[in-house]
Amino acid sequence: MTDLSRSSMRPIRSFLFVPGHRESWIDRVAGYGADAVILDLEDSVPADQKPAARALVAKKISGLAAAGQRIYVRVNRSPAMYDFEDILAVTREGLEGVVLSKPGGPEDIQIAAALVHEAELRNGLELGRIALVPTLETARSMQTAYEIAQNPRVNAICGASAKNGDSARALGIGWSPEGTETLYMWQRTVMAARAAGKMPLGGLWQDVHDLEGLDLYARRNRAHGFVGEMILHPTNVEVVNRAYTPSAEEIRYFKGMIETYEVSAAQGVGAVIYDGDHIDLAHVQTARSIVALAEGTGETD
């Protein structure tokens, strides 16, 4: 039975891509503050450098994990399946999960899960601990998002909407900063992930030097229900972490709501006016989840 590690079930606000053939970049990644990093063996690596990148990434995983960095690897795929040589090489102590690009549907996730299981067996790892993060970049994967999210190895699904990227091409849509053209895709991702008890992730903001635009984009994505997003540049980490972390004002507001409700509940009153709003247990449960998120990021003072 799959038993994902507690680490892999913690929220990922910032999910930073790092090209797998750039050793100096990999060596610096633990200092960027990203919740998790994706060492990429796929699109960001030139074809003739992929074998060397695979070996380099495999070598770096344990050291980065020892430094406290959560590590994922995006592997290559063929038309038939994901690259088993990639999976076998990187399935080692310290790896939290594998990112799966462009799945055609839930059957691709089942095949990837079997490959990871085999790699765990061959490499002597505890079975079932390595997570899968599919990125919904084909029309069928978006249509079957819930079935994909239900796979026991999946801890998150990503509804990425990069400008002129795979998902845009798959749906035949143009891109706008407002994101109205991908709103339905975002909603499908969030609903599927939440229904399956998994993390919904967004992304990708490609104008990496436009930090103001990124901030607006990330805050809007959080409002749509995402818990974090994939990012492309170290300068984006702080912006995205801040956008997905409850502010001090939010924390004070929700802690006050909880305290007000608990005092009233102790007196046998199930609903009360707090800061002008009618609140009851449903609102307090939301407040508790937001405070718990803040505690998970160390931002509760």
Side-chain angles (χ1 to χ4, degrees):
M1 179 180 292
T2 299
D3 181 21
L4 294 177
S5 67
R6 289 187 178 182
S7 176
S8 70
M9 299 307 293
R10 296 204 318 268
I12 300 174
R13 298 167 301 172
S14 50
F15 212 7
L16 175 64
F17 274 104
V18 181
H21 64 305
R22 299 278 193 171
E23 183 169 12
S24 63
W25 295 11
I26 294 173
D27 288 341
R28 293 196 296 269
V29 76
Y32 293 146
D35 285 351
V37 300
I38 304 166
L39 303 181
D40 189 25
L41 299 178
E42 200 217 19
D43 283 352
S44 67
V45 179
D48 63 343
Q49 297 185 45
K50 287 183 184 291
R54 178 196 301 142
L56 176 63
V57 165
K59 182 178 71 172
K60 296 292 184 179
I61 289 171
S62 59
L64 291 173
Q69 182 63 66
R70 298 167 68 186
I71 302 294
Y72 287 70
V73 175
R74 183 167 72 165
V75 298
N76 291 286
R77 67 163 297 155
S78 70
M81 66 182 217
Y82 291 94
D83 191 318
F84 185 58
E85 290 186 54
D86 283 354
I87 292 172
L88 186 61
V90 304
T91 299
R92 55 185 58 213
E93 291 293 344
L95 181 71
E96 184 167 307
V98 172
V99 176
L100 303 173
S101 65
K102 299 179 276 293
E107 64 280 356
D108 280 353
I109 312 307
Q110 293 166 5
I111 292 170
L115 295 175
V116 170
H117 183 86
E118 179 66 19
E120 288 172 335
L121 280 169
R122 293 194 190 188
N123 292 334
L125 300 187
E126 182 179 355
L127 299 181
R129 303 307 298 275
I130 293 176
L132 299 178
V133 179
T135 57
L136 309 182
E137 300 165 288
T138 65
R140 187 164 180 269
S141 69
M142 299 172 207
Q143 182 64 26
T144 59
Y146 177 60
E147 289 80 4
I148 287 172
Q150 281 184 302
N151 189 287
R153 277 204 187 260
V154 169
N155 68 338
I157 59 174
C158 181
S161 55
K163 184 177 183 181
N164 302 320
D166 291 308
S167 59
R169 184 176 65 256
L171 297 178
I173 59 176
W175 181 88
S176 70
E178 298 76 26
T180 53
E181 70 286 344
T182 46
L183 181 58
Y184 179 60
M185 176 184 132
W186 292 339
Q187 291 172 330
R188 285 192 67 86
T189 302
V190 170
M191 190 171 296
R194 299 285 185 178
K198 310 300 173 67
M199 293 184 284
L201 302 175
L204 288 153
W205 183 255
Q206 287 184 237
D207 189 354
V208 298
H209 299 300
D210 179 9
L211 300 185
E212 182 177 344
L214 171 64
D215 182 64
L216 292 172
Y217 177 80
R219 291 183 186 280
R220 182 190 61 207
N221 284 350
R222 180 187 169 198
H224 282 307
F226 291 108
V227 300
E229 59 191 67
M230 293 178 170
I231 56 177
L232 298 169
H233 196 274
T235 60
N236 293 178
V237 170
E238 183 180 356
V239 175
V240 168
N241 281 349
R242 184 171 61 245
Y244 283 96
T245 302
S247 67
E249 182 178 349
E250 287 179 282
I251 295 166
R252 284 193 296 271
Y253 173 83
F254 287 114
K255 281 187 171 182
M257 178 187 293
I258 294 166
E259 292 168 4
T260 299
Y261 174 82
E262 288 178 345
V263 168
S264 298
Q267 299 171 352
V269 178
V272 67
I273 299 299
Y274 172 70
D275 199 28
D277 291 331
H278 175 281
I279 66 164
D280 55 25
L281 180 59
H283 304 91
V284 173
Q285 288 174 329
T286 299
R288 287 172 177 156
S289 70
I290 293 172
V291 172
L293 172 62
E295 289 173 345
T297 61
E299 299 288 342
T300 56
D301 293 338

